[in-house]
Amino acid sequence: MRKVAVVGVGTSKFGNRTDVSLPELAWESVKEALDDARLGTEDIEAFVVGNVGGWSSEMLPAVVVGEYCGLVPKSGVRVEAACATGSAAVRTAYHMIASGEADIVMAIGVEKMNESPTPTVVEFIGRAGNYFWEFENFGLTFPGYYALYATAYMHRYGATEEDLCKVAVKNHYYGSLNPKAQFQKAITVEECLNSRYVAWPLKLYDSSPITDGSSAVILASEEAAKKITDTPVWIKAIGYANGTANLSKRLDFIGLEAAQIAAQMAYKKAGIDPQEPVKYLDVAEVHDCFTIAEIMAYEDLGFAKRGEGYKLVREGQTYIGGLIPVNVDGGLKAKGHPIGATGVSMIAELTRQLRQQVEKSRQAPIRKGMALAHNIGGTGHYAFVTILSLS
Amino acid sequence: MSDNVVNSVSKTLDKLYGEPLKQLETLIGATGLPVYKDPKSGALLWVDVRELRLRFTLSVNKIAKFVDGLREGKLLYTVCKRCGAKYFPPQADCPRCKASDMEWRETSPVGELITWTVINVKPASFSHHADYVVGIVKMPDGFNITAWVEADPKTLKPGMKMRLLVDRRPGENYITYWFKPA
């Protein structure tokens, strides 16, 4: 297997993007990534589009994006892994290079959720489980699935709704410092606690929004990377696993087994001690589609012991200056969660973090040169853990 | 007389999507184009004139006994005759030993609540219901069951005994299953 580097990254403004079509939205990040790598479309041998769709009009997003972005005829394909679709796109591009099939490949994540009215989007995401046994008869929603975990976790470990709100407060704070985030306003614990329930015990402010956005990363082989940039960011490891479709088949509701397995895989490949991963990492992006998801991520990744994840956020340990800065771009919670783009945007953000190129107020100190992305599809239906490194 | 599921869903969807369709008709009549400016962003938007309706037909052919069970007020699961693996939702095939010879058994009447939520923001096709409680219940048979819980959510606790009911769902009139505190 060959070494693979990130050599160019781009991310569109996230939000309700009524001003652009799906391919126009993709182009914003494709162009930024090409400019970042100082490459033209002719240099890209292949591309992978991460898009979930359903709520948007294009049935074949990879061909539409390929045509608009001047990536025809090349090897282009679309991949899907629910909310971890972006990571699946990065992983596919990674393997094309690692295997020697191609030298320069682009992963593009794009989603236009606002082409459909909100109730339609709620309906679509609610179906993202085991359709007949969870949705058809019982009308579960995406917040509902995570709420089942929140209820069990809070009863078991004594975490409170206020603890969950502290995750939202942190991520909104960092979102307010990120010009590309959907939400640019800091919030208070009180505002969060006073927001209405969407799926008890989860409230509106515990939840990531419906978002349009795109992100693109250009990956290259070692030889190609060294010609393109002086600061390649290496993909050290990608761990990934899946979970049961039907939540009733899970062993417990206090963590995501798929994420735990993905983390172990990634740590082993990257040479990280799974007992003390924070000793190796400068910064992390974790999948905070709901506040409870970020707390479980701390534990599934080994940043905190089982049942103690909420204490990290209580003590402010995941702000810059703490044990490990997490989601300092606003996370899914405040930056927004354009399903297929989210995983790609995590890699784009961490690449910029490692290169020390983000806004000063939210730049994590880079001392060890390693960063981690944790991207979950559905409710632990898929999990990807990706380790990036400067060396 | 309780309403049926087809009427209930159709009525809510008409309410949700009917008004924008009338506006679209007016828009095309007045301007000749299905185009308007988004009041929030000022962006120019084209409203799709080709509506897509989705309603799937799912095969329950291989689990016909499960359907028969519902009709008789029973909730059935499958046990692999070769290796003894138990399946709920019932499976016609056993991936563990690759056999497809199943025994159908009735689930126990009472289980224990593991976790639950209240669906406050509902999908469009469920928005004719008041907020509903969905729980996961551990059954003594060796599996869990996800279903609605008919109870005041404030009274619920992990480990509470839950009785299984199989009956016509009020407001929708088709047979399904749910739990009630035992």
Side-chain angles (χ1 to χ4, degrees), chain A residues 18-19 117 119-120 122-124 127 130-141 144 147-149 151-152 155 196-202 246-250 253, chain B residues 16-17 38 41 43 45 54 56 58 63 66 87-91 114-126 132 134 136 144 146-148 158 169 174 176-177:
Chain A
T18 48
D19 57 322
T120 307
V122 170
E123 178 111 11
F124 263 115
R127 292 173 179 229
N130 190 318
Y131 180 73
F132 185 78
W133 303 96
E134 296 186 319
F135 188 88
E136 169 80 355
N137 297 304
F138 308 118
L140 270 158
T141 59
L148 290 167
Y149 277 85
T151 303
H155 271 100
R196 67 192 162 92
Y197 286 108
V198 293
W200 179 94
L202 298 179
N246 197 323
L247 292 202
S248 73
K249 297 213 165 191
R250 302 288 173 84
F253 298 90
Chain B
L16 194 63
Y17 298 112
D38 178 29
S41 64
L45 293 168
L54 290 174
F56 304 107
L58 321 173
I63 55 162
F66 175 80
Y87 294 100
F88 190 89
Q91 289 197 186
I114 303 174
T115 189
W116 67 96
T117 177
V118 186
I119 306 298
N120 311 105
V121 175
K122 294 170 280 279
S125 60
F126 279 86
Y132 45 88
V134 186
I136 298 180
N144 302 330
T146 302
W148 283 11
R169 175 186 279 167
Y174 78 102
T176 186
Y177 50 99

Side-chain angles (χ1 to χ4, degrees), chain A residues 2 21 33 36 49 60 66 70 73-74 100 118 127 129 190 203 244 250 263 268 276 299 321 327 331 335 340:
Chain A
R2 303 195 297 170
S21 69
D36 183 39
V49 172
L60 304 179
K74 297 182 191 288
T118 299
R127 292 173 179 229
E190 288 67 36
K203 294 174 287 297
T244 63
R250 302 288 173 84
K268 197 175 170 195
E276 284 185 296
E299 300 175 15
N327 290 337
K335 185 169 77 166

Side-chain angles (χ1 to χ4, degrees), chain A residues 198-227:
Chain A
V198 293
W200 179 94
L202 298 179
K203 294 174 287 297
L204 186 65
Y205 278 35
D206 286 303
S207 317
S208 56
I210 291 168
T211 307
D212 308 323
S214 79
S215 187
V217 298
I218 301 170
L219 307 187
S221 64
E222 185 169 15
E223 200 179 272
K226 284 184 172 160
K227 285 183 199 150

Side-chain angles (χ1 to χ4, degrees), chain A residues 174 177 320 353 356-365:
Chain A
Y174 285 117
L177 305 173
I320 291 170
Q353 281 283 346
Q356 308 195 51
Q357 285 178 336
V358 307
E359 291 75 19
K360 277 210 177 68
S361 52
R362 58 177 203 89
Q363 173 69 55

